[in-house]
């Protein structure tokens, strides 16, 4: 059985800095509720038909705790009969909710599911749940002593032999492409402006891009993870760099190359994707925008952590009976520039097909929402260009990857 994407929408991304971003004064439930209120008219569906709402959020504490999905449904004024669940697969959460929705409708268990994600990094910063990278489990650390993602990104760059210029080039391209996409209105179809309680617009377009960035300006930025790598946290006083090198001694040293300019930015935002079964589409005479052709998740080394997008993509391609060259557009989440570079080279992808409208380096990465946002961006671009297939993939904390193949209808 098939699963169809009826619509996708998102808020603009605001800067994820407390008191500085345009969305930092908005409760995360309300970020999501604004989209939920807009959904019925946009998607042309009845709320009484919604079987479930599944929302990704990474830092599920404080304002994002207490099952943010259910509370946002209530805040939006939806019928109390519509239930909701919150999901955490780290950065892949917003794409995982789409997978769960697609599974539900393709199995015949459900007909209409609203998936999506939300993250207010200005109000609920990373690490707010207090779990760190491993929940403080000293027994687990005897098997895998996980390091922060920035250390992993620099380790990947070192092992792959990337130069600082290589990863800065990814960042510069992201900024330029995002600037062009905004100027040409390529995101407008999916954007829902965020308003305050009085109806005044707080943010109508993405807040973070810096299309005026230059290669020289990026090169002047200091590496972000040198001090972190030197922190002594091991049982014998080992530094994070030493712990990572113990797992990958062939690196010999970690060259710290990632900066604030070539890593994803902190962001606030929310996104929704409406997923329906084939029978529901036919019975309601709906015109779906795409179908989900294949989905995959994988695990990978939890110390190196960020190399699984290529593995997940290969798995999804096998399920679809496709090869990388068959995909028209790729969305590889720009958590760090080295991730995009490593995935592109590993799969032999033409860089001109990758992140054609920029990515999280320029636009920001609202953790739990990004996956749903990327799917919507890919769908809009397929329709704009008349192309047929897109693959969305993301690296995930703890050594995981996720991939979704979308086919335009």
């Amino acid at each position: 059985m098939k699963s169809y994407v009826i619509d996708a929408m998102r808020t603009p991304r605001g800067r994820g800095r407390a008191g500085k971003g345009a969305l930092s004064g908005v409760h995360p439930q309300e970020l999501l509720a604004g989209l939920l209120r807009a959904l019925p008219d946009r998607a042309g569906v009845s709320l009484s038909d919604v079987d479930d709402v599944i929302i990704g959020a990474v830092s599920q504490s404080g304002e994002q705790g207490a099952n943010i999905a259910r509370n946002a449904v209530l805040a939006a004024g939806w019928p109390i009969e519509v239930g909701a669940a919150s999901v955490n697969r780290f950065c892949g959460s917003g794409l995982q909710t789409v997978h769960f929705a697609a599974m539900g409708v393709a199995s015949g268990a459900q007909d209409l599911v609203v998936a999506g994600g939300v993250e207010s990094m200005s109000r609920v910063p990373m690490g707010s749940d207090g779990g760190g990278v491993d929940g403080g489990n000293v027994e687990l650390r005897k098997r895998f002593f996980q390091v922060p993602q920035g250390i992993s990104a620099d380790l990947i760059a070192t092992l792959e032999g990337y130069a600082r210029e290589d990863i800065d080039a990814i960042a510069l391209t992201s900024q330029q492409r995002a600037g062009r996409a905004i100027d040409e209105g390529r995101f407008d179809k999916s954007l829902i402006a965020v308003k305050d309680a009085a109806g005044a617009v707080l943010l109508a377009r993405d807040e973070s891009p810096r299309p005026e960035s230059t290669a020289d300006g990026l090169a002047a930025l200091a590496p972000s993870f040198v001090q972190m790598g030197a922190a002594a946290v091991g049982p014998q006083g080992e530094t994070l760099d030493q712990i990572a090198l113990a797992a990958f001694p062939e690196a010999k040293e970690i060259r710290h190359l990632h900066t604030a300019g070539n890593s994803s930015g902190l962001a606030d935002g929310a996104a929704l994707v409406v997923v329906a079964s084939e029978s529901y589409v036919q019975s309601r005479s709906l015109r779906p925008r795409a179908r989900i052709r294949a989905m995959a998740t994988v695990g990978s080394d939890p110390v190196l952590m960020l190399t699984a997008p290529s593995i997940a993509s290969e798995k999804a391609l096998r399920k679809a009976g496709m090869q990388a060259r068959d995909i028209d557009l790729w969305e590889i989440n720009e958590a760090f520039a080295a991730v995009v570079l490593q995935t592109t080279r590993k799969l032999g992808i033409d860089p001109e097909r990758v992140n054609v409208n920029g990515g999280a380096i320029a636009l920001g990465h609202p953790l739990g929402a990004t996956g749903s946002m990327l799917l919507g961006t890919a769908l809009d671009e397929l329709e704009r260009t008349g192309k047929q297939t897109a693959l969305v993939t993301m690296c995930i904390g703890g050594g995981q990857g996720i991939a979704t193949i979308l086919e335009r209808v």
Side-chain angles (χ1 to χ4, degrees), residues 126-405:
M126 281 190 297
S128 294
D129 62 2
V133 296
D134 59 11
N137 185 350
V138 295
E139 294 301 319
L140 173 59
R141 290 176 188 175
K142 295 174 183 178
R143 300 189 62 191
F144 298 105
F145 202 125
Q146 298 172 63
V147 297
Q149 291 188 11
I151 305 297
S152 296
D154 284 339
L155 177 59
I156 291 168
T158 301
L159 290 169
E160 297 287 343
Y162 300 149
R164 171 70 180 269
E165 292 78 11
D166 295 329
I167 58 176
D168 277 351
I170 297 290
L172 183 60
T173 298
S174 181
Q175 294 287 359
Q176 292 172 340
R177 289 179 175 178
R180 179 186 63 191
I182 291 170
D183 288 344
E184 295 181 1
R186 296 187 185 184
F187 299 140
D188 291 356
K189 184 173 183 177
S190 291
L191 282 177
I192 303 293
V194 179
K195 300 178 181 180
D196 64 16
V201 173
L202 297 175
L203 189 65
R205 58 189 288 172
D206 296 304
E207 190 176 21
S208 297
R210 297 178 176 176
E212 72 280 5
S213 298
T214 65
D216 288 343
L218 289 168
L221 297 174
S224 297
F225 305 108
V226 175
Q227 186 174 355
M228 178 185 291
V233 300
Q236 305 300 322
E238 303 96 329
T239 67
L240 284 169
D241 278 357
Q242 289 170 337
I243 290 167
L245 288 171
F248 291 89
E250 62 269 33
K252 297 182 179 178
E253 66 173 350
I254 295 181
R255 298 168 56 240
H256 290 288
L257 302 178
H258 285 88
T259 70
N262 56 40
S263 306
S264 57
L266 307 179
D268 301 337
L272 294 176
V273 180
V274 183
V275 183
S277 67
E278 188 169 26
S279 61
Y280 184 84
V281 166
Q282 293 174 349
S283 66
R284 300 302 192 278
S285 299
L286 294 174
R287 183 175 180 179
R289 296 177 63 188
R291 76 179 180 100
I292 296 173
R293 182 160 172 175
M295 307 174 291
T297 54
V298 299
S300 64
D301 187 280
V303 179
L304 196 57
M305 195 182 299
L306 308 174
T307 56
S310 61
I311 307 169
S313 297
E314 289 172 334
K315 184 177 180 180
L317 289 166
R318 287 194 301 271
K319 288 179 176 293
M322 303 173 74
Q323 297 184 7
R325 64 172 178 268
D326 299 324
I327 300 296
D328 296 317
L329 295 171
W330 290 77
E331 287 290 337
I332 303 172
N333 187 38
E334 294 177 352
F336 300 92
V339 174
V340 179
L341 196 54
Q342 192 271 345
T343 306
T344 301
R345 292 185 178 180
K346 179 72 166 56
L347 296 174
I349 308 168
D350 179 359
E352 293 303 311
R353 297 186 180 192
V354 177
N355 300 351
V356 299
N357 292 320
I361 290 173
L363 295 161
H365 179 17
L367 306 177
T370 303
S372 297
M373 289 182 170
L374 292 180
L375 188 142
T377 296
L379 179 53
D380 286 347
E381 186 65 13
L382 286 177
E383 292 175 343
R384 189 187 73 85
T385 59
K387 298 184 185 299
Q388 196 67 23
T389 57
L391 192 151
V392 180
T393 187
M394 308 179 74
C395 60
I396 301 172
Q400 301 182 81
I402 189 168
T404 312
I405 298 177

